[in-house]
Amino acid sequence: MKRIIVSCALACMAALALVSGAAQAARPKIGLSLPTQREERWVRDKQAMEAEAARLGLDLRVQVTDNDAARQVAQCENLIAQGIQVLILAPHDASSASVIVDMAARAGIRVISYDRLVMDSPREYYYISFDNVKVGELQGEFLVGRVKKGNIVVLAGSPTDNNAKLFREGAMKFIGPAVKKGDLKIVMDQFVKDWQPAEAQRIMEQALTANANHVDGVLAPNDGTAGGAIQALAAQHMAGRVTVTGQDAELSAAIRIVQGTQSMTVFKDTRALGRKAIEMALALAQGRPIATGGRTVNNNKHAIPSVLLTPRVVTRENLDAVLITSGYLRREQVYRPKP
Ligand code: GAL
């Protein structure tokens, strides 16, 4: 009797192992390659994708490149060797990442370019992001609306990131005509290496020195660079007296907005972006089509089918409604006593 029970139990365990083994094998394996975790927005992207992958039962394998293009290639090579079916890739260097797309394609792996578009690749892949020209338009329109006349500093993001070009292109649709009319003068115009706040601060310090502090507005392409520029302004007791744009709705930027040193940010809901990317990855892993409504973004070689979400301006007036009520930021974190 005892022997029968034991062998029954063993048979049951073997069956269970078989079933869970099959479930394991059936679990789509997705690779995720991110540029950094040193910026709040990318931490949120990772969290959003991990949560959605867990909800859908996907095996998500994450690598972070620390803004190193060669490292990103090596890490993706490793993900490919692990047998992923889909690679979600947020490139550090838009152009050199085409090597990664090529490697993946040769291994039969589908690629989703995440937030930043991989450039110059002849291969087929998908792109999910926000409408990045629109982001720049929102920043440029805001700046021109606030600074009717005066000197402005134009900062652009990393020259290796295609988004930096798109943001600038959008902003210039508004700034360009104001400069032509003679209302605005661009006194400094520079890319910011790797989007580094310290680099933005250094450029801003130079601009202030060269113009005897006569600066009325700063086109800062994201919250990190806005923070750097505002530090340079604060050192000259000018923080809060100069219009400064931003992007990403980071907590530190929301705090600056309520305290009055940063004028706006652009909210791109990373929860929605991350969720959608994982949904797309699952569809590709299962061989299902992705609806893009015919939308594309050109990568210098050809049109890449794209899903583009809508960005939104945040100022002190609508911050509560857009960021706090939606649960993106917590009230007690944003409203802190002035130091
Ligand atoms: C961009 C991204 C922005 C910003 C920046 C720096 O590509 O769209 O949200 O955070 O990179 O990481």
Side-chain angles (χ1 to χ4, degrees), residues 9 21 31 57 61 68 95 97 104 136 144 154 219 260 263 271 295 306 325-326:
R61 307 197 171 191
D68 180 334
S95 192
V144 168
V154 171
L219 177 78
S263 319
R271 296 169 302 189
R295 226 167 163 183
S306 303
T325 310
S326 70

Side-chain angles (χ1 to χ4, degrees), residues 3 35 52 61 74 84 98 190 239 283 292 306:
R3 194 177 290 163
E52 186 65 0
R61 307 197 171 191
I84 55 168
S98 65
Q190 276 194 34
T292 54
S306 303

Side-chain angles (χ1 to χ4, degrees), residues 39 41-42 115-116 132 161 163 167 195 222 247-248 268:
E39 287 172 50
R41 82 140 284 182
W42 293 107
D115 189 75
R116 304 172 172 176
N132 292 312
D161 180 352
N163 283 350
F167 301 146
W195 296 91
N222 75 343
Q247 167 185 195
D248 288 336
K268 302 186 304 185

